[in-house]
Amino acid sequence: MLNDILKTIADKYPHMSKGHRNIANYIKENYNKAAFMTAAKLAEAVGISESTVVRFAYELGYDGYPQLQKMLQSLARSRLTSVQRIELAEEHLNNSDVLKKVVGKDIDNLRHTLEDISKKDFDKAAEAIAGAKNIYIIGVRSSHSLASFMSFYFNHIFGNVRNVNTTSVSEMFEQIIRIGPGDVLIGVTFPRYSQRTVKAAKYAHESGACVVSITDSASSPIVKYSDVALFAKSDMASFVDSLVAPLSIINALIVAVGLLHEEDLSETFHKLERVWKEYNVYQQEDESE
């Protein structure tokens, strides 16, 4: 879990050299800054050599500094307040290249997501959703937009979809109270992880339902209650969450589930097209502005 890195540092601290203790102290007090520093920058901040920083990573049991930095970034993203995120954005971004850096980071997130995601888990999630008696979808705060998007399209495929849209824990449980075996709960959560989403996943899991989570990593708190976890990168040194990769995974999931119900989906859209035309839902080609 994310706190393991701080526990590891604490456990090894008594046996560390003076230089390694200086690094450990800096990380404990400034992990939000250290997470986005190169080995050279961290060495400069602590006042030691870059090679000492690299050896510190090895002493903690990591393959090298990049792996240590990745764990620190996961820890930082799960704990940073909005104010701290703004400070990071000011430090790592500037007005002259915000567009390039933000879009570039989104592209990196998409590439890493595609490289790391399990095809087996993706197919398992699609099959579980396609065969569910009832589908419950929950996403809170910025993840709410992802949950709503998924609900919109799944409602075109199924008649058994419920978007758990609530502002309190008690109301949330009222909406999922009947969840059980044969049902699926899809939980969407990214740093800073929503307690409501995790609690819903825990309740669904204990009630015998299948839990499909869409989150950022295996260290996410929702994973331990998930039957299937799909990981999408959401890294962004900013107060804005990067939802490009998660949305792409959701797009793919909707398409995969739709293909498993291709005949029903085709019939549904034929009916919808007739209704949309009859009630002028969309602008017609022969209509003037």
Side-chain angles (χ1 to χ4, degrees), residues 8-167:
T8 299
I9 290 174
D11 290 343
K12 292 182 177 290
Y13 189 86
H15 310 290
M16 289 181 180
S17 65
K18 181 180 179 181
H20 285 186
R21 286 189 178 188
N22 289 339
I23 300 171
N25 290 333
Y26 185 87
I27 287 176
K28 285 188 290 186
E29 295 174 6
N30 305 280
Y31 65 84
N32 57 319
K33 294 181 179 179
F36 299 94
M37 289 180 173
T38 63
K41 286 289 186 181
L42 179 56
E44 182 181 346
V46 178
I48 56 172
S49 67
E50 183 177 351
S51 59
T52 302
V53 172
V54 174
R55 286 195 297 271
F56 176 78
Y58 285 125
E59 182 173 332
L60 293 183
Y62 296 107
D63 294 335
Y65 181 74
Q67 188 179 20
L68 169 61
Q69 185 183 43
K70 183 178 180 181
M71 289 302 298
L72 286 173
Q73 288 177 353
S74 295
L75 176 66
R77 286 195 303 274
S78 68
R79 290 187 170 190
L80 288 183
T81 65
S82 297
V83 173
Q84 289 172 321
R85 286 188 175 201
I86 291 172
E87 291 173 351
L88 272 178
E90 292 175 346
E91 185 174 336
H92 292 278
L93 303 173
N94 58 67
N95 291 332
S96 63
D97 58 5
V98 168
L99 176 62
K100 183 178 180 180
K101 285 189 175 181
V102 171
V103 174
K105 190 61 177 177
D106 280 336
I107 292 172
D108 286 342
N109 285 337
L110 281 169
R111 184 176 66 253
H112 291 309
T113 296
L114 186 59
E115 290 172 351
D116 296 341
I117 196 166
S118 166
K119 174 71 162 52
K120 180 180 178 181
D121 287 342
F122 177 84
D123 291 342
K124 184 179 178 182
E127 290 168 3
I129 295 168
K133 289 194 302 184
N134 298 289
I135 301 168
Y136 298 81
I137 304 173
I138 181 168
V140 177
R141 303 183 69 81
S142 62
S143 294
H144 173 69
S145 59
L146 297 172
S148 295
F149 181 85
M150 197 178 344
S151 297
F152 175 80
Y153 280 100
F154 276 160
N155 270 304
H156 287 344
I157 305 174
F158 306 104
N160 57 349
V161 179
R162 172 172 289 184
N163 186 14
V164 183
N165 186 6
T166 177
T167 57

Side-chain angles (χ1 to χ4, degrees), residues 133 136 176-184 204 207-210:
K133 289 194 302 184
Y136 298 81
I176 65 174
I177 191 69
R178 293 183 179 85
I179 196 169
D183 297 333
V184 169
S207 299
C210 175

Side-chain angles (χ1 to χ4, degrees), residues 89 205 260 262:
H205 176 74
L260 292 172
E262 190 171 3

